[in-house]
Amino acid sequence: MATSSKSQPAKPTAQLRVCLTLTDLQPQFASWMSSPVGARGYVAMQGMHALLVEIAPGLAIQRIVDRALKQEPGLEPGILAVERQFGVLELHGRDEAALVRAREAILDGLSAKASEQLRPQLLYSDIIEDITDQHAVLINRTRQANMVLPGQNLLLMEVAPALYGAYMGNEAEKAAPDLSLVECSMIGASGRLYMAGSKDSLRKAQARVEQLLADVDGR
């Protein structure tokens, strides 16, 4: 009498959400990313390069960091976060080629291509002119970088997936280094950027970031 065998359930696989490189970390952005928050590890310095990866489900990011650091042990992990839905990794170093090799090892482990990442979706983009003192107080209670001062103008941008928030922060500072980075978030449902300064510089940074996001390859 033949015995029936149950098929084995498919092994869960991780989904690539974001895999991007930040070149030439800017002074304010590097300082913000290295601030003493629970997700932070090794300190990133100005002029370094960074590899950012976001995947789902969140716990799979532990396999990603293991693979990357065994491939390139000279790189430093600055952020390793497992949140409700996604896992986030940031690696940095001065050797851009090492980051490329780590990136390829990660993609090979996921059986994925960089073009399979999710394209950024810009959810909000606005400039508020002449911030009131009461408004500035509220923003400064939760910011992790510089303070916004009453009378300044404030650029606000929001993007999904969240990890593109880091891309916005570094590239906005490149486009207009005279601006003040007030807040930047890159973990969660969406990423957000707050920058303060002159209207002309804010518009310049806003236009540059919007163009860069539109140019990102993905699905």
Side-chain angles (χ1 to χ4, degrees):
M1 182 176 177
T3 58
S4 60
S5 60
K6 294 182 179 180
S7 59
Q8 294 296 317
K11 185 178 179 181
T13 59
Q15 176 197 20
L16 177 67
R17 290 177 54 81
V18 181
C19 184
L20 60 91
T21 301
L22 302 184
T23 59
D24 190 17
L25 296 180
Q26 298 299 291
Q28 295 181 78
F29 178 80
S31 296
W32 167 81
M33 197 165 65
S34 301
S35 60
V37 177
R40 271 60 172 185
Y42 294 81
V43 174
M45 305 296 289
Q46 175 185 351
M48 286 184 169
H49 314 294
L51 174 65
L52 301 170
V53 181
E54 180 179 315
I55 64 170
L59 197 57
I61 200 67
Q62 301 290 355
R63 172 60 66 183
I64 297 301
V65 68
D66 176 75
R67 182 178 294 274
L69 292 177
K70 284 176 177 173
Q71 171 66 35
E72 295 296 330
L75 295 177
E76 297 180 335
I79 298 174
L80 177 62
V82 181
E83 52 100 27
R84 287 184 296 175
Q85 298 184 62
F86 313 124
V88 173
L89 169 66
E90 182 272 321
L91 294 172
H92 54 260
R94 298 197 179 276
D95 185 355
E96 194 171 356
L99 286 170
V100 171
R101 292 190 295 270
R103 176 174 173 264
E104 292 307 310
I106 290 170
L107 292 173
D108 287 346
L110 293 170
S111 299
K113 299 178 181 178
S115 59
E116 294 174 10
Q117 69 180 344
L118 297 176
R119 294 188 66 187
Q121 181 180 12
L122 187 61
L123 304 176
Y124 190 74
S125 182
D126 192 16
I127 295 175
I128 300 177
E129 299 178 358
D130 191 16
I131 289 287
T132 66
D133 54 351
Q134 302 99 321
H135 195 175
V137 168
L138 292 175
I139 292 172
N140 289 332
R141 283 180 175 175
T142 57
R143 58 99 185 128
Q144 295 187 49
N146 298 315
M147 297 179 70
V148 58
L149 302 178
Q152 285 189 314
N153 308 295
L154 187 66
L155 170 64
L156 302 170
M157 303 185 78
E158 185 167 358
V159 68
L163 201 54
Y164 287 110
Y167 189 47
M168 292 195 306
N170 198 57
E171 294 303 324
E173 189 176 346
K174 280 185 185 178
D178 58 301
L179 294 177
S180 180
L181 178 64
V182 176
E183 178 62 289
C184 184
S185 63
M186 54 183 280
I187 298 173
S190 62
R192 300 180 180 94
L193 174 67
Y194 295 56
M195 296 198 84
S198 71
K199 286 184 287 186
D200 287 344
S201 291
L202 290 175
R203 291 192 186 104
K204 181 179 179 182
Q206 182 184 38
R208 177 60 176 161
V209 169
E210 289 180 356
Q211 183 60 58
L212 288 171
L213 291 177
D215 291 342
V216 172
D217 189 23
R219 58 184 171 89

